[in-house]
Amino acid sequence: MPAQACCVDAAISPSGNAFSGDSSLLAPVSFSGVPSETTDIVTEPVDVSVENSRWTPSLSAALYKIDGWGAPYFSVNSSGNISVRPHGPETLSHQGIDLLKVVKKVSDPKDLGGLGLKLPLIVRFPDVLKNRLESLNSAFEYAIQSQGYESHYQGVYPVKCNQDRFVVEDIVKFGSSFRFGLEAGSKPELLLAMSCLCKGNPEALLVCNGFKDSEYISLALVARKLALNTVIVLEQLEELDLVIDLSKKLHIRPVIGVRAKLRTRHLGHFGSTSGEKGKFGLNTTQIVRVARKLEQVGMLDCLQLLHFHIGSQIPSTTLLADGVGEAAQIYCELVRLGAQMHVIDIGGGLGIDYDGSKSTESDISVGYTLEEYATAVVQAVRYVCDRKSIKHPVICSESGRAIVSHHSVLIFESVSTSAYESPALSSLGLQYLVEGLSEDASADYRNLTAAAMRGEYDTCLLYTDQLKQRCVEQFKEGSLGIEQLAAVDGLCDLVSKEIGNADPVRTYHVNLSIFTSIPDYWGIGQLFPIVPIHRLDQRPSERGILSDLTCDSDGKMDKFIGCESSLPLHALEGKGGGDGRYYLGMFLGGAYEEALGGVHNLFGGPSIVRVSQSDGPHSFAVTCAVPGSSCADVLRLMRHEPELMFQTLKHRAEECGQGGDNDDGLASAAALASSLAQSFNNMPYLVSGSSCCLIAINNNGFDYYNRDDFNAAGADSAGCEDKQWSYCCA
């Protein structure tokens, strides 16, 4: 940008004169040498000064590090849209799924062939889930065969990561050939795991973790009676007596595991449950007591599994091997004490790379691959067992984050942007400003102008801050008017802008609740990749932070992967990009976010669709769709009664309608009641177009989407796994 005059105005300034006591103005002063304003948004290796005509999707992929955190499931296609590769590296070129096309088909009105679902939206890809399971099992199978390990791998999925029915059922179905099982940590989780595993492989493990009462233990014993391969893992010493007593009363022989507190510690954020003072598990003294007590009651043969957990997001295979080696020593000692040990359960901890950095020093990255993880585990167990001449155990892991994170994408829309704009300063405004200043503030103003003439830009900023502070104090004392304070603000902002010290970051307002959909960001500072899902063939010209719909100051995102405090984004065209909308995606959020999200500000859960790869001309099919929580749904969660609330409002509408012409008043009351009824059924998030109440009042009622249609469709989909929506996905 060309250097411009900042503090003075030529129209009223006698050229060459400094400020005098009568507050006359100086001639224009050019800020020669001021750093030019630029829209460059990142540093090397991506040169974002490239003109839009020469910007390519590959540059966007590098800018957002998609090839780092997204491989092998996400890429940018030639249209500049995010493409999902549902089968990972085995995905053929024609099998890629254009995420923007999915969103448009799901959100388009029904009369245009869509589903009419409202955003925000979770898109699940069961094919990705299947590939993650296959990849994990393949990694362990390779490590076992290459190292001559004499047993097998048999994992379980901890349902706490995502308890959604379709997610759990998919894992049981896809993992059946691998004897893949489930892990439960509460009574409701145990019930759903029991139900799902009735359709799974009979050898699949059902691992029962967490604190237990008599009802939990009885339920786990019943699961064993139902021919489910159930293991009750002791987390506390007190649970042992309950297991012994209840198993005798029910005449069910249990399979028991113990969770060990290891000395090995994971020092990162996710390792707080590790070490001798961890929340769960038994120390060596308590483990010995368990073995002796079981021996005394003739049940030592029931002790068959050792479990431990170093912590989530284990950063390196060095730490992993250290912990597994320590646990393997305990396993071998239990064999020596006479326990019929069969399984070593290494717990969770298999991390994923949220930022693509492959760093071992970060809580959101890991420095290993699936293959390296499996190799480290198998090597550590084999080494200890061979030294002790102990038969190699079945290796079990409770990998949740690594299985489900990639298969789910949260899509939301930016509805507007805002940035502080410096108000225009007129000659009259400057004159009015100067006349109202105190003597000290006037001196700051003169010094500011003199520094500008000399090109001393650091000094300009010093006097700008000083002038602003003096004027704020004057305003608080009542000796400076609001118009003058506004003029001072405008002057100071203009100086900062001309010198190149202005904040270029814009706020993008997104149709989302961070507390509901990304609670780990707010709660523990977890970072997720956030990327526009389209327009990636265009050069992003802005930097922005994201502000959600909630009336909470924490409802914003101003930290992003790569240690960035803002995100490269595109300018909204009109109301949005292209067709008037600008879509962003949060990736790798398939674990924990849905389970942890609450109803802050009564924003409910997003709409959800399942999308499978299809060999048809459009490469995908929507196999299930569920609308997001309605206003009535979230009100019921907080024990309100929407039906009674509506009756109260309807009665008030009828009372208010009695004041005018009888017929018109009744019609107006009926229309208002209709709009209120629909408001209870609509999602709490923003809806484009005219407001529901306005349409209803003007048209004596209106027809929005019918939730019953979705419920019926969901029921049909649940009843037939292969049934798809009748429309053709484009």
Side-chain angles (χ1 to χ4, degrees):
M1 175 174 35
Q4 297 179 2
C6 173
C7 304
V8 294
D9 192 294
I12 59 172
S13 303
S15 178
N17 294 328
F19 273 114
S20 60
D22 63 359
S23 300
S24 58
L25 298 177
L26 291 174
V29 178
S30 295
F31 282 78
S32 58
V34 176
S36 62
E37 186 182 50
T38 176
T39 53
D40 288 359
I41 54 178
V42 293
T43 57
E44 294 296 327
V46 180
D47 181 8
V48 292
S49 64
V50 175
E51 292 297 329
N52 198 43
S53 60
R54 293 190 288 123
W55 190 265
T56 64
S58 61
L59 289 174
S60 286
L63 175 64
Y64 293 105
K65 302 178 175 64
I66 296 173
D67 293 337
W69 57 260
Y73 301 106
F74 305 103
S75 60
V76 184
N77 62 26
S78 59
S79 299
N81 302 332
I82 293 289
S83 178
V84 180
R85 306 178 70 213
H87 310 300
E90 289 78 37
T91 304
L92 302 178
S93 58
H94 69 279
Q95 293 177 326
I97 299 174
D98 190 312
L99 193 52
L100 180 64
K101 290 183 178 180
V102 173
V103 172
K104 289 182 68 62
K105 273 299 175 184
V106 168
S107 59
D108 277 351
K110 290 183 178 179
D111 57 2
L112 296 180
L115 287 179
L117 289 181
K118 306 301 178 185
L119 269 64
L121 172 72
I122 290 175
V123 185
R124 292 206 180 104
F125 296 95
D127 295 313
V128 172
L129 198 61
K130 183 173 185 287
N131 185 265
R132 293 299 293 172
L133 272 171
E134 292 171 345
S135 298
L136 177 61
N137 281 274
S138 176
F140 270 99
E141 181 64 24
Y142 177 79
I144 285 169
Q145 291 193 8
S146 64
Q147 297 186 50
Y149 193 81
E150 296 174 356
S151 189
H152 65 272
Y153 168 74
Q154 190 172 332
V156 296
Y157 166 67
V159 297
K160 67 181 179 181
C161 287
N162 191 326
Q163 300 99 334
D164 179 82
R165 168 193 166 190
F166 293 108
V167 172
V168 180
E169 288 181 351
D170 279 345
I171 287 173
V172 171
K173 180 174 67 175
F174 299 149
S176 180
S177 62
F178 308 120
R179 295 171 285 200
F180 212 84
L182 299 174
E183 181 269 347
S186 68
K187 284 176 277 191
E189 289 184 351
L190 180 53
L191 286 167
L192 76 86
M194 290 167 61
S195 174
C196 290
L197 284 176
C198 285
K199 300 178 183 179
N201 190 310
E203 295 183 44
L205 288 166
L206 172 50
V207 177
C208 301
N209 287 332
F211 292 117
K212 304 170 190 69
D213 59 8
S214 59
E215 185 178 4
Y216 186 125
I217 293 171
S218 297
L219 193 58
L221 290 169
V222 169
R224 188 141 194 94
K225 187 76 171 180
L226 297 176
L228 298 174
N229 193 8
T230 310
V231 183
I232 301 173
V233 178
L234 303 178
E235 305 272 6
Q236 301 178 96
L237 196 59
E238 295 80 6
E239 295 170 357
L240 177 59
D241 289 335
L242 284 174
V243 172
I244 293 172
D245 293 343
L246 290 169
S247 64
K248 290 180 178 179
K249 290 178 181 178
L250 295 172
H251 304 289
I252 299 171
R253 195 76 172 172
V255 173
I256 300 173
V258 292
R259 177 168 178 169
K261 288 183 179 179
L262 301 186
R263 268 72 169 183
T264 304
R265 291 200 61 197
H266 171 6
L267 299 178
H269 170 81
F270 294 102
S272 59
T273 59
S274 64
E276 293 181 271
K277 296 184 179 180
K279 178 180 178 182
F280 296 105
L282 308 178
N283 58 34
T284 52
T285 302
Q286 293 170 322
I287 291 174
V288 171
R289 287 181 187 174
V290 168
R292 288 176 177 170
K293 180 67 176 285
L294 288 173
E295 185 178 24
Q296 290 171 3
V297 298
M299 294 176 63
L300 186 56
D301 61 306
C302 295
L303 182 56
Q304 298 182 17
L305 179 146
L306 176 72
H307 171 48
F308 68 93
H309 179 62
I310 300 175
S312 296
Q313 283 287 109
I314 296 174
S316 69
T317 54
T318 301
L319 175 62
L320 173 68
D322 191 25
V324 173
E326 181 186 350
Q329 295 286 357
I330 298 174
Y331 178 93
C332 292
E333 288 300 297
L334 286 172
V335 172
R336 184 180 63 80
L337 292 174
Q340 299 297 305
M341 300 301 290
H342 181 60
V343 180
I344 184 167
D345 181 349
I346 65 174
L350 173 55
I352 63 171
D353 193 353
Y354 287 99
D355 63 5
S357 66
K358 305 294 186 292
S359 170
T360 61
E361 306 297 325
S362 170
D363 284 333
I364 62 171
S365 185
V366 292
Y368 52 81
T369 63
L370 280 179
E371 292 75 19
E372 291 167 341
Y373 174 88
T375 297
V377 171
V378 173
Q379 278 182 345
V381 176
R382 182 180 62 82
Y383 176 75
V384 173
C385 290
D386 286 351
R387 287 184 62 197
K388 300 275 189 175
S389 299
I390 299 296
K391 183 180 178 181
H392 296 168
V394 172
I395 295 175
C396 175
S397 74
E398 300 178 2
S399 302
R401 186 190 305 268
I403 291 175
V404 298
S405 292
H406 298 78
H407 95 287
S408 177
V409 182
L410 173 68
I411 307 296
F412 52 97
E413 181 183 1
S414 176
V415 294
S416 65
T417 67
S418 63
Y420 184 80
E421 301 291 344
S422 301
L425 283 176
S426 65
S427 302
L428 182 60
L430 276 174
Q431 186 70 45
Y432 182 63
L433 160 67
V434 174
E435 290 175 353
L437 296 179
S438 67
E439 183 176 345
D440 289 339
S442 295
D444 289 331
Y445 184 45
R446 291 193 297 271
N447 290 332
L448 168 61
T449 304
M453 294 178 66
R454 296 192 300 269
E456 298 174 354
Y457 306 127
D458 289 341
T459 305
C460 283
L461 292 174
L462 174 66
Y463 284 117
T464 296
D465 292 340
Q466 196 165 296
L467 171 63
K468 190 169 186 175
Q469 186 58 41
R470 291 190 198 277
C471 291
V472 169
E473 293 300 324
Q474 275 192 260
F475 178 75
K476 290 180 179 179
E477 294 168 358
S479 60
L480 193 70
I482 191 170
E483 300 93 341
Q484 292 165 308
L485 184 61
V488 170
D489 287 337
L491 173 64
C492 294
D493 290 332
L494 184 59
V495 171
S496 295
K497 182 178 180 181
E498 291 298 321
I499 292 177
N501 199 46
D503 185 2
V505 176
R506 303 183 69 87
T507 298
Y508 281 65
H509 304 285
V510 294
N511 194 12
L512 184 75
S513 165
I514 290 172
F515 303 91
T516 297
S517 295
I518 321 178
D520 271 345
Y521 175 85
W522 166 71
I524 61 174
Q526 172 73 43
L527 302 183
F528 298 90
I530 295 178
V531 181
I533 67 167
H534 60 139
R535 297 180 65 186
L536 297 175
D537 55 345
Q538 304 172 27
R539 172 178 168 273
S541 59
E542 308 286 348
R543 290 206 74 101
I545 63 171
L546 307 181
S547 176
D548 74 0
L549 297 181
T550 67
C551 58
D552 196 305
S553 58
D554 286 337
K556 65 178 181 179
M557 301 187 76
D558 55 8
K559 294 182 179 64
F560 304 92
I561 64 170
C563 301
E564 297 289 339
S565 59
S566 60
L567 192 66
L569 295 169
H570 303 84
L572 300 190
E573 299 173 358
K575 191 181 178 183
D579 64 349
R581 296 179 180 273
Y582 188 51
Y583 298 111
L584 301 169
M586 186 203 80
F587 296 80
L588 308 186
Y592 296 108
E593 301 316 290
E594 294 173 59
L596 292 174
V599 287
H600 184 274
N601 264 173
L602 295 188
F603 285 109
S607 303
I608 301 175
V609 294
R610 280 162 47 90
V611 177
S612 294
Q613 188 267 320
S614 169
D615 289 332
H618 306 296
S619 79
F620 72 89
V622 178
T623 58
C624 182
V626 181
S629 302
S630 68
C631 293
D633 292 335
V634 293
L635 286 166
R636 287 190 189 96
L637 287 174
M638 303 307 293
R639 298 182 177 84
H640 295 280
E641 299 183 44
E643 294 80 9
L644 295 181
M645 296 167 66
F646 169 69
Q647 291 300 327
T648 300
L649 294 170
K650 179 182 177 184
H651 181 67
R652 174 58 64 90
E654 291 169 348
E655 288 180 340
C656 294
Q658 292 174 358
D661 180 85
N662 193 41
D663 291 339
D664 290 344
L666 290 176
S668 177
L672 190 55
S674 174
S675 73
L676 289 168
Q678 189 57 59
S679 293
F680 279 101
N681 279 329
N682 289 342
M683 287 179 70
Y685 295 93
L686 300 183
V687 179
S688 58
S690 301
S691 73
C692 301
C693 291
L694 178 61
I695 298 173
I697 293 171
N698 290 341
N699 299 305
N700 289 331
F702 67 99
D703 184 20
Y704 224 62
Y705 72 82
N706 187 343
R707 291 178 62 86
D708 292 337
D709 294 343
F710 291 105
N711 294 335
D716 291 342
S717 177
C720 178
E721 292 180 349
D722 296 328
K723 181 166 182 171
Q724 298 178 354
W725 291 87
S726 58
Y727 68 85
C728 183
C729 297

